[in-house]
Each structure stands twice: as structure tokens, then as C-alpha cells.
Amino acid sequence: MGLMHKLPPIVDPLPGGKTMIDAVSYIINWARSNSIWPLTYGTSCCAIEMMAAAAPRYDISRFGSEVFRASPRQCDLIILAGTITEKMAGPLKTLYDQMSGPKYVIAMGACTISGGPFYYDNYSVVKGADRILPVDVYIPGCPPRPEALFNGLLMLQEKIRKTESLRNTWHEHEIYTKPATNTWSDAAKAWDALEKIKDQEQAEARAKFKEENPDYQAFKAVRVVAPAFPEVPRKPDRPRGKSNLELWKLIQAKFPGLKLYKKELGDHEVSDTAAVEALGTDYTLDFEVPVDQYVALATFLKQTPDLSLEMLLDLTAVDFTDHFDVVVQLLSVTQGQKVFFRVSLPKKEVSPEEAPTAILASVPTLSGLWPAANWKEREVYDMFGIDFTGHPDMRRLFMEDDFVGYPLRKDFVNPNIIKRPY
Amino acid sequence: MEMVKRPLPAGFQKVSGDDNTEEYFINMGPQHPATHGVLRLVLRLDGETVRECVPHLGYIHRGIEKQAESETYLQYVHLTDRMDYLTSHMNNHSVCMAIEKAVGIGVPDRAEYIRVMVLELNRISSHLMMFGCFGGDLGAQTALLYGFKEREVITDIFDELCGARLTMNYFRPGGVANDIPDTFIARVKKVIVDVERTLEEFDRLITGNVIIQERSRGIGILTREDAIAYGCTGCVLRASGVPYDLRKDDPYSIYDRLDFDVPTKQNGDSFDRYVIHIDEIRQSIRILQQCIEQIPEGPYRSKEKPSYRLPAGSYYAATETAKGIFGTYVVAEKGDKPWRIHSRSPNFANLSPIGKMVKGHMIADVVTVITTLDILIPDIDR
């Protein structure tokens, strides 16, 4: 539009020139507002509602925006559907820069307005899309319904028709050149003024009503009795495969030194066999293993035909402030039994300054036995800073490589975290 | 002229190989319409053939597990809605089951039936979405419209049931949030008729389509051994010939009272992974029909507390979602907040063999593999 914007200074001084420019502007804006092409960009839940808006029931093509383009170079509008994380902020900024102007941004959903459900106690979510992009229209909701998206789209069309002109190139230079105004306090003041007027009007109306109806008695609310719900005892699980006791005896025969992890029983001293019986079928067998027997036990569990725990369902870790527990869950898809086992890793002694960024424990890898362990161990390394010796590709999985600290540790601090004030 | 040697992208190993062909790297994502979110794949290409594929995750990592540590157990339920938002009822169910297990509260019969009906509706809606995306990603945009058309009817039921179309938060420990409305059963009956009719349409439109079959048969084969070794669950595992379904093999709720089959396929290619979704919709309809006949009168919830304090220990509950096994692992210390909550996400394991599956295929087949794995990135990154 560069050429068009050079027209006003030339044509305006001519007789009737201003009217002509206005007419041309009007036609251009009318056309532009009725053919907004959005980018197929969506990160999470809101994207599904955006797709639903394009689907037959709601049909976004009624508003001229059915042409979803996959390339930012062909788009006028980016609908920010879904949470924006710190890692995604960079690529998103690039996408926006690649779009050709005039370009518009709709912030769809609570996450892009303010961080939404991820505002407090969160280290990775950008708390509001307007921190990185100039947002034109905000649509609240989690996720907003397609009707709400249409409302936002119509609002954007109205905005284009009313504010864009050949003289006012408010979208030409894009990203903010002046600081954002404090819209919140302005809105609050306007709201207060409105409330005062409303209160006054209501008081007058009430007084008038009392004068006219002196016998009127207000309706008294009746208390609704809440339904009484019964206390239902839980029925125990009916697991298939070998029972806990059978499994425990098989494992004990090979590894006699193992101990059951039985926090559920409290401090009572009971023998392991008795404990397995007491815990019942709701309990999945869970035992501790020393570090030196860790891989040997895993191999035994996988390769013994009686156990055949051939699937690694999960591998995770827990930070108990003084030590880590790496918890592994195995499942037998052929027989049905499942077990947990855990290895307790004491934290290394380091100075308090280094502790948040240092790797505090290490354990042999299981990725040779199960390829599934490959990513799971990377996740644990990323979140806890536990090193898996012998792992073929030990990198962070979720966070960027230069991210400082290990988020799921209890002593983790991050400047992005906003603590809940209550 | 001397060649400039660039460093290899992260995750790639150096190979000493053929110097006659020039290999190059290409970035697929994070913004790509066929990656179902913000997955980034770095592909090592030789011509149009994929030699190696390294996925990069974390573009939608929201730190839900860390945030859960400063929220109560009930508040965590709504966060699971936002993990795999296509199966949000099932995620909620898993958390509620873990709490029920720890505190020892049971669920009334009516609530169990309501739960199962809602879960199966959710499964159908997720599979319809998969159907739509499968067609859409392969270039048959019509399929996307067909899938969404039927899905809206189910979404309407959820809308009436709990006021939300996507992030439901309907399950509570000991039951569900509110009783089903009077119109619920009638609407489910209508959905059954509608979906059965649509499945025939789907078969004519997509399943029997020559182009679709050519593009998906023999593409991205996952062998039985690999599926188990990579920890794949759900449709991906069953398409590879392992008939493992938590609803049958470790039955929770009232699934052991209901009569249904677990569809299994043997080839483990993209077409099998697609067909199994359609077969599962048929089984879900069977379950719904039985539930409509059997649903009893009674309370829809057992006594509920404003907040739950779990006894110290670790608890685990898993459900078979539309994608696979969704497990919730809770470590409780004192207090009404969890010490640690971990969600075993099915999509995470289902995506992990992708490097192996796309090796040697064309670049367009990467899209086929991703869409038939039926993954959802926000659930992987959490």
C-alpha cells in the first residue's frame, strides 16, 4: 500500500480532493474488512474452537474469512489460538514479522489475554500476548465459543472500517513506538462514574416505587435444601495377571535384599509379605532398589518369562528435598500385571549458590532395554537435573538449552513466576 | 571452491556415507498445519526421502506439573482438561479415580453409568476429530467437514451437560458434578443413529477411497515389538497386533459389566491405525446402547468434600482414553496440596517411535504418520 499512502498529500490540496480520498479509503477498507485471511496458527485448545468455527455448523465463510492460509506471507490476520510459551514466543514473533501489512492480531482465549489459568506459579507461559505483539481484539473465554470468535472478527472488521484510512497509517510501522497507555485505570474510572449514575437512578426509582405502592411487601427467598448424598465405600480393584504376593515372591527369590515401599501403611513395622496382603488389590507393588542393582533388576523384570514386564509405561522422578526418587512403572501387555520400582538417589553436596543449576544425582540409563526410556529420561533430566549415565542423547526435552535451573525441583526459582497472593 | 562445513543440528549423529548425494535439513514446524499443534520436526532429507527425523518438543510446555504443586487436588482436575482437550472427560476421570483410591470413597451406580456414557461419547468425538484430520491432512478437506458436522452434535450434549464444549471439568471424586438433564438419553439415542449413518458415509468417502488407501497402506509401519518397546498404547498399539485395552484387561468403573470387543489389526501401518478408530466408534456405540438400557435411578454423586487431604503415600490410577493409557501418579505428603503429580500422557509415548517410522519414506508420508498416530502436542508437553 506504499503507493496509495503517497496519494493524500498530492490529491488533498486539489478541489474536492479530500472527499475523493475519503471515498477511495472507504471502498478499500470495506473490501479489506470483508476478506480477512487468517493464518492456520493454533497451539492448544482454542485451535479446536477455531476449527469448529470454520466447520459446517458455524461456517466462518459467512464473514469472508474462510481462506485459512498456512503461509504467513498470504495472511492479514493471526488468531492467537492457545497458550503462548516462552519457547514459542520467538517463532511467533517471526511469524508476525513475516506477514505482510496491514496485519491484525486477535488474542483468542484467556491464555493469550493474560496467561489465564497459567498466570500464577508458572515459569514458562507468556502472561499476555500483548507483551510481544500489538493485539487488536481480545476475546475472553477458556476456550471462547465460535460465536465469540465471530463477535471478535466482526469487531475487527468494524475497527478496520472506522479507523483505517489512507491518511492514518496506524498499522504501517507495526510494533509499538510509544508505550501502551494504562487502559485499566482509564476503564476503571469510567466504570466508577457509570456506577454512580446507575446507583443514583436506582435510588430514585426505588423511592418513586415506594411512594406509588405503599402496601408492597418484598418477596422473601425460600431456602432450598441441598440433596443429601450417601457415603459409598470404594470397591477394590479387580486387576488381572499375577497377584502382588506372587510377584513379590518371584522377585524376592532373585533379589532377596529388596524392600517394599510402604508409605501407605504409616510407621507400623510389619513384614513385607504381611504388608503386601494388608494393602490389598488397590495397591500396585512398589519396591525400592539400590543403585547398583537397578539395571540388573530391570533386565530381570523384562526378560523373565514368568514376569514378562515388557513395556515401560512410565519413568519419572520425585524430589523429596533431601533425595530424589526415580520411579519406574512396568506393565506386561501379555499377562496383565504391573509393578513400580524406585531407586533413591541422595543429592550431591554442593555449595548453596551452585545447587539450583548443578546436576545433583546420576543413575544408569534404561534406554538400552526400552527405547521408551530415552525421552522419559530426557524429561527427568530437563525437569530435575538428574543425569543418566550411558544415555545416547542427553539433552533437555522441553525447555531451551540455555534455560537456567530445573523446574520440578522444590528449590526452583524463576523470575517469571508470580506467586499467588493468598 | 571449498565447501563450508556447517555444524549438524541438535540430535543428529554424524554419518560417514555417500558423498555423491547431497543431504540437507529441513524444519517442519513448529508452525505447521499438519503437526496438530506446535511440534517441530527436523528432517534430514535426501531428495524427497527422509533419512532421519528428530522431533523437538516443548513449544507448548506450560509447566502444569509444577503448577499443580501449588493447587489443591480438585483444582488439578481442571488443568487436566487442558492437556488432551479432545479427551478431557477421560483425563478428569483418571485424576478422580486416583483421589477416590487414596481417600477410599466409592461411586454410586448411576454415577458410574453417567461416567461411562460421557466417556464413550467423548471417545467418539475424539475419533471423529481424528477422522476429519486424517482426511484433511491427506488433502481431502471434505472429510474434515464431515467429521466436524457429527462432532458438533456430541459437543451440544456436553454443552447442555456441563456448560462447556471442550474443557468440561465435569467429573468429581465420588461421582459427577450434576445429574444428567432429561433430554440427555434422547439426545444420545439420536447421536447413535446419526453416527451409525455417518460411518457408512465415511466408508464410502474415505475408507474405500483409492487415493487414501494408496497413501496410507504400508506407510509408517510399526511392528509389534517396536510398539511395545516404545510404550505405545491405545489404537497405535492395537493396530500393531497387541489386543491390550485397559477397559478389558484391567477393568475400571463398570466396564466389566458391559459387552464389547477390542478391535485389533495386524499390519501396523497407517491405514490400520485409521481403520481401528472407525471400528472403535462402532464398539463405543454398542457400549452406549447397553448403558441406555441399564442406567439405574439413584444419586449421581457420593458425599463430597470441599477439599481432599490424601494420606501420605503414592497413588496411581489409569484410564484408557481415546489415545491410550492416561495415568495419574500422585505423591501425597501432608496438606491439601499434592507433593508431586505426574501425568503419564499417552501421546508422549505414541509419538516417540516417529523417527523410526518415517525413515525411508517420502516427506509427504510424514504427515500421514503424524495424523494416524493421532497425537496432540499440548498433552505431550504438558
Side-chain angles (χ1 to χ4, degrees):
Chain A
M1 294 299 290
L3 187 66
M4 293 296 277
H5 288 136
K6 282 174 191 152
L7 276 181
I10 305 166
V11 184
D12 271 359
L14 302 174
K18 281 189 177 164
T19 321
M20 201 190 103
I21 288 289
D22 283 349
V24 173
S25 284
Y26 178 82
I27 292 166
I28 289 175
N29 289 341
W30 173 83
R32 185 180 286 157
S33 67
N34 283 314
S35 63
I36 304 174
W37 289 13
L39 179 72
T40 44
Y41 165 87
T43 54
S44 50
C45 340
C46 291
I48 302 293
E49 290 298 60
M50 192 174 79
M51 284 162 81
R57 164 78 69 86
Y58 294 100
D59 196 8
I60 204 170
S61 60
R62 290 178 293 159
F63 307 100
S65 297
E66 79 274 27
V67 196
F68 277 86
R69 295 274 104 182
S71 165
R73 287 171 187 84
Q74 301 167 348
C75 298
D76 313 310
L77 168 68
I78 179 165
I79 302 175
L80 301 174
T83 322
I84 301 162
T85 60
E86 296 283 342
K87 195 173 180 180
M88 192 60 202
L92 175 61
K93 183 77 170 45
T94 315
L95 280 176
Y96 181 77
D97 290 344
Q98 283 172 341
M99 285 163 68
S100 50
K103 45 192 168 183
Y104 311 97
V105 180
I106 289 184
M108 183 182 182
C111 293
T112 48
I113 295 174
S114 67
F118 308 108
Y119 184 76
Y120 289 119
D121 306 309
N122 202 300
Y123 54 91
S124 69
V125 171
V126 175
K127 290 161 184 80
D130 42 12
R131 297 189 181 202
I132 45 175
L133 299 179
V135 177
D136 292 307
V137 177
Y138 298 86
I139 309 172
C142 191
R145 305 168 66 91
E147 296 95 323
L149 177 60
F150 291 155
N151 190 20
L153 193 67
L154 290 174
M155 209 172 271
L156 179 68
Q157 292 185 353
E158 202 181 326
K159 189 175 180 179
I160 293 171
R161 281 198 289 266
K162 287 187 176 164
T163 57
E164 287 257 29
S165 96
L166 292 181
R167 293 193 197 85
N168 169 19
T169 56
W170 62 279
H171 254 298
E172 198 65 5
H173 298 292
E174 300 316 332
I175 309 286
Y176 290 132
T177 47
K178 58 178 181 182
T181 50
N182 191 346
T183 47
W184 164 248
S185 68
D186 291 353
K189 270 179 208 159
W191 184 261
D192 278 353
L194 271 178
E195 285 287 292
K196 264 180 200 162
I197 297 168
K198 219 167 87 185
D199 285 355
Q200 212 177 347
E201 279 175 358
Q202 279 185 349
E204 280 168 16
R206 241 177 271 134
K208 197 182 166 193
F209 184 80
K210 259 187 186 173
E211 261 178 36
E212 286 171 0
N213 310 295
D215 304 334
Y216 177 76
Q217 279 186 334
F219 172 76
K220 272 183 187 165
V222 185
R223 197 190 170 96
V224 180
V225 183
F229 295 113
E231 280 196 32
V232 187
R234 183 182 150 74
K235 289 178 200 140
D237 274 355
R238 305 160 294 272
R240 303 288 161 94
K242 288 197 172 59
S243 74
N244 283 340
L245 204 58
E246 279 176 283
L247 286 173
W248 184 235
K249 277 178 182 161
L250 272 169
I251 295 161
Q252 279 264 300
K254 179 85 178 176
F255 295 89
L258 295 186
K259 277 208 176 115
L260 209 63
Y261 185 79
K262 47 190 178 189
K263 232 175 186 174
E264 286 85 344
L265 282 181
D267 298 329
H268 306 292
E269 279 295 321
V270 278
S271 75
D272 284 348
T273 323
V276 170
E277 279 171 348
L279 287 165
T281 50
D282 265 3
Y283 170 81
T284 312
L285 197 63
D286 189 348
F287 50 92
E288 290 176 71
V289 53
V291 184
D292 50 346
Q293 291 182 359
Y294 175 60
V295 178
L297 177 88
T299 318
F300 168 75
L301 292 177
K302 187 189 174 189
Q303 289 167 359
T304 310
D306 275 356
L307 296 164
S308 73
L309 294 152
E310 65 273 82
M311 184 185 275
L312 182 128
L313 209 57
D314 208 351
L315 187 150
T316 185
V318 187
D319 181 5
F320 287 107
T321 58
D322 56 334
H323 68 278
F324 293 115
D325 267 9
V326 172
V327 187
V328 184
Q329 189 195 1
L330 300 181
L331 168 78
S332 167
V333 286
T334 44
Q335 298 181 15
Q337 60 261 24
K338 56 176 184 279
V339 300
F340 282 99
F341 67 94
R342 58 182 69 217
V343 50
S344 177
L345 306 169
K347 286 188 179 178
K348 269 180 209 148
E349 294 288 328
V350 287
S351 64
E353 297 86 55
E354 286 177 3
T357 52
I359 285 172
L360 291 182
S362 74
V363 66
T365 177
L366 293 183
S367 55
L369 283 168
W370 291 281
N374 188 321
W375 281 16
K376 303 261 182 201
E377 283 173 354
R378 277 177 64 190
E379 188 193 349
V380 171
Y381 167 77
D382 189 358
M383 295 288 136
F384 289 92
I386 298 173
D387 188 32
F388 290 85
T389 48
H391 191 283
D393 188 18
M394 199 84 255
R395 284 179 296 126
R396 279 180 180 269
L397 185 67
F398 293 147
M399 308 310 295
E400 277 163 285
D401 290 337
D402 54 356
F403 186 78
V404 180
Y406 298 98
L408 282 176
R409 279 193 197 161
K410 288 289 170 183
D411 55 355
F412 173 71
V413 283
N414 187 293
N416 280 341
I417 291 181
I418 299 173
K419 282 274 170 213
R420 218 173 268 268
Y422 44 87
Chain B
M1 202 178 80
E2 203 178 324
M3 286 272 284
V4 182
K5 290 217 168 148
R6 284 189 218 151
L8 281 173
F12 286 95
Q13 310 291 330
K14 203 163 191 168
V15 284
S16 60
D18 198 0
D19 285 340
N20 297 327
T21 58
E22 191 187 345
E23 290 183 336
Y24 61 104
F25 296 90
I26 195 171
N27 226 345
M28 190 170 169
Q31 198 276 324
H32 190 284
T35 52
H36 295 212
V38 280
L39 172 67
R40 177 176 162 223
L41 300 171
V42 182
L43 306 171
R44 183 209 284 270
L45 296 172
D46 180 5
E48 237 184 299
T49 315
V50 180
R51 287 270 169 265
E52 206 177 342
C53 163
V54 172
H56 290 252
L57 305 175
Y59 286 93
I60 185 70
H61 173 70
R62 292 157 294 181
I64 287 179
E65 286 175 12
K66 180 70 177 179
Q67 202 185 336
E69 288 169 14
S70 49
E71 305 209 347
T72 62
Y73 291 101
L74 273 179
Q75 282 171 339
Y76 181 65
V77 177
H78 97 280
L79 285 180
T80 55
D81 281 338
R82 280 139 190 94
M83 287 185 189
D84 191 341
Y85 38 79
L86 293 179
T87 62
S88 46
H89 281 310
M90 299 165 185
N91 306 353
N92 293 352
H93 191 201
S94 154
V95 183
C96 290
M97 266 165 51
I99 298 173
E100 282 157 14
K101 212 179 233 186
V103 188
I105 43 175
V107 183
D109 242 18
R110 183 177 173 82
E112 291 278 30
Y113 275 95
I114 296 174
R115 278 184 173 190
V116 168
M117 285 168 84
V118 168
L119 290 176
E120 293 309 316
L121 283 173
N122 205 178
R123 195 182 308 276
I124 294 175
S125 110
S126 171
H127 284 354
L128 287 175
M129 180 85 193
M130 184 269 165
F131 168 83
C133 288
F134 176 68
D137 288 349
L138 293 193
Q141 204 69 27
T142 322
L144 189 73
L145 305 179
Y146 272 75
F148 259 101
K149 189 174 123 249
E150 295 311 317
R151 194 177 165 273
E152 286 292 341
V153 185
I154 297 173
T155 317
D156 275 353
I157 297 181
F158 293 154
D159 202 352
E160 195 184 16
L161 190 66
C162 49
R165 286 161 49 87
L166 207 61
T167 48
M168 268 70 103
N169 197 7
Y170 176 60
F171 285 37
R172 298 283 184 277
V176 290
N178 47 271
D179 206 353
I180 49 175
D182 302 336
T183 51
F184 183 80
I185 299 287
R187 279 183 167 219
V188 173
K189 280 178 183 165
K190 188 171 178 301
V191 163
I192 289 174
V193 177
D194 279 4
V195 170
E196 273 182 342
R197 173 181 50 76
T198 318
L199 287 182
E200 286 169 23
E201 270 175 16
F202 284 4
D203 281 346
R204 286 205 301 275
L205 185 71
I206 293 290
T207 317
N209 189 311
V210 182
I211 302 170
I212 295 285
Q213 294 217 7
E214 286 283 319
R215 280 203 62 186
S216 58
R217 274 195 198 274
I219 300 295
I221 292 175
L222 187 68
T223 60
R224 186 183 187 281
E225 289 70 30
D226 277 349
I228 293 173
Y230 278 97
C232 297
T233 49
C235 294
V236 178
L237 182 68
R238 291 193 283 276
S240 294
V242 186
Y244 190 83
D245 188 327
L246 268 191
R247 292 177 292 168
K248 268 270 193 264
D249 291 295
D250 200 354
Y252 54 94
S253 196
I254 50 156
Y255 278 111
D256 50 353
R257 295 183 208 168
L258 302 166
D259 179 30
F260 63 97
D261 299 326
V262 179
T264 316
K265 296 277 173 209
Q266 298 304 325
N267 298 334
D269 60 359
S270 291
F271 186 71
D272 277 4
R273 279 196 292 278
Y274 154 70
V275 170
I276 214 154
H277 284 86
I278 303 294
D279 290 352
E280 278 206 0
I281 296 180
R282 294 210 167 85
Q283 298 304 324
S284 290
I285 288 175
R286 269 177 76 187
I287 295 176
L288 281 175
Q289 280 165 338
Q290 291 166 49
C291 285
I292 289 173
E293 284 164 19
Q294 294 174 16
I295 185 167
E297 288 295 319
Y300 58 88
R301 191 166 77 194
S302 62
K303 205 173 169 187
E304 201 192 356
K305 295 172 189 167
S307 83
Y308 291 88
R309 283 167 194 275
L310 269 58
S314 58
Y315 308 94
Y316 178 81
T319 54
E320 180 80 30
T321 74
K323 312 291 171 74
I325 297 176
F326 186 94
T328 303
Y329 179 68
V330 186
V331 178
E333 299 277 304
K334 56 182 182 269
D336 58 352
K337 288 171 183 169
W339 181 259
R340 163 122 170 82
I341 277 194
H342 174 70
S343 290
R344 192 266 173 207
S345 107
N347 296 299
F348 187 92
N350 285 359
L351 178 68
S352 56
I354 190 166
K356 204 164 186 180
M357 286 161 79
V358 301
K359 199 175 273 183
H361 285 302
M362 306 294 268
I363 192 165
D365 297 332
V366 178
V367 175
T368 318
V369 172
I370 293 174
T371 181
T372 52
L373 284 176
D374 198 11
I375 50 160
L376 205 80
I377 309 302
D379 185 37
I380 295 173
D381 290 352
R382 279 160 284 145

